[in-house]
Amino acid sequence: MSSPPKKFIILETVDSTNNYAMGLVQNDLAESGDAVFAMEQTAGKGRIGKNWESNKGQNVVLTVISDMKWLPVFSQFQLSVAVSMACHDFFTAYTKTEIKIKWPNDIFLNDRKAGGILIENVLQGNLWQWAIIGIGLNINQEEFESSNSNAISLKQITGKSYDAVSVSKELHENVLDKIASLKNGGYSKMLSAYNSNLFAKNKKVKLRKGNITFETTIERVSSNGELVTKDAIERTFGFDAIEWIW
């Protein structure tokens, strides 16, 4: 017996699809696998308090809700890997250009940012109740603010336009498939694929930690989500411990 289809809610405008999805969870109106798509966000969120810029109706502005009681709270990075690979595989279906994952969860096409992931969690003590998985991917947008000049869209690469709702539904299915794979013990395989497609892997980069800027070579990401680099010594960095210097 197949599982019932998940809801795919389409909003004309909203402050944030993550906020809307969180409200559904808090009011017991959500089922695991439901998705929220918006034509327009007035206060889209990125990581570390940054804003996510997206022109109305042109891009993937999507949040997927997932029950996470089956995964320990200390394994949160596993979900990030699964969602990153869902985005990677999504772009792979449309372009043969180089697709990379910039640790911890940005998606790059031809060394330029094409998307990002923001996962917010609902915890109860040590129990991971829900994940609110926000995904923004540049699909049709061709002009970006100067502060976001490193951005690129799928249309800029392929020269084609896409239906934002249709491709978002495809990505929704990708995410659900990767979460199912994670549930079935597929993390090791996904982490290997994540590392195979790691942005700047085996390259020397400039990073900043606090007031110190240094050069180091990206090696891999560990199973618990730390970035591993090497220069005179091997170094490991947790989320938000460093800043990339372009």
Side-chain angles (χ1 to χ4, degrees), residues 167-206:
V167 297
S168 294
K169 287 180 176 179
E170 289 177 25
L171 178 61
H172 178 210
E173 292 301 322
N174 279 16
V175 171
L176 296 184
D177 287 347
K178 291 297 183 186
I179 291 175
S181 178
L182 188 61
K183 247 182 173 176
N184 291 325
Y187 178 57
S188 178
K189 185 176 180 180
M190 276 190 280
L191 179 63
S192 177
Y194 181 104
N195 273 310
S196 293
N197 295 284
L198 186 63
F199 178 77
K201 184 177 182 179
N202 298 324
K203 294 181 180 179
K204 189 175 287 188
V205 299
K206 278 189 177 181

Side-chain angles (χ1 to χ4, degrees), residues 137-156:
L137 300 182
N138 298 331
I139 302 299
N140 295 311
Q141 190 162 331
E142 295 185 271
E143 295 183 4
F144 299 89
E145 294 178 359
S146 57
S147 60
N148 200 19
S149 59
N150 192 50
I152 195 170
S153 71
L154 184 60
K155 182 177 181 179
Q156 287 175 311

Side-chain angles (χ1 to χ4, degrees), residues 56-98:
K56 186 172 182 177
Q58 293 190 349
N59 302 314
V60 168
V61 180
L62 182 70
T63 296
V64 180
I65 301 167
S66 183
D67 182 320
M68 297 304 300
K69 299 181 187 70
W70 51 275
L71 193 63
V73 69
F74 57 79
S75 299
Q76 290 180 34
F77 185 68
Q78 293 189 20
L79 180 62
S80 182
V81 168
V83 177
S84 295
M85 289 312 303
C87 294
H88 177 277
D89 291 355
F90 165 81
F91 276 127
T92 298
Y94 289 96
T95 176
K96 296 188 183 301
T97 195
E98 186 176 71

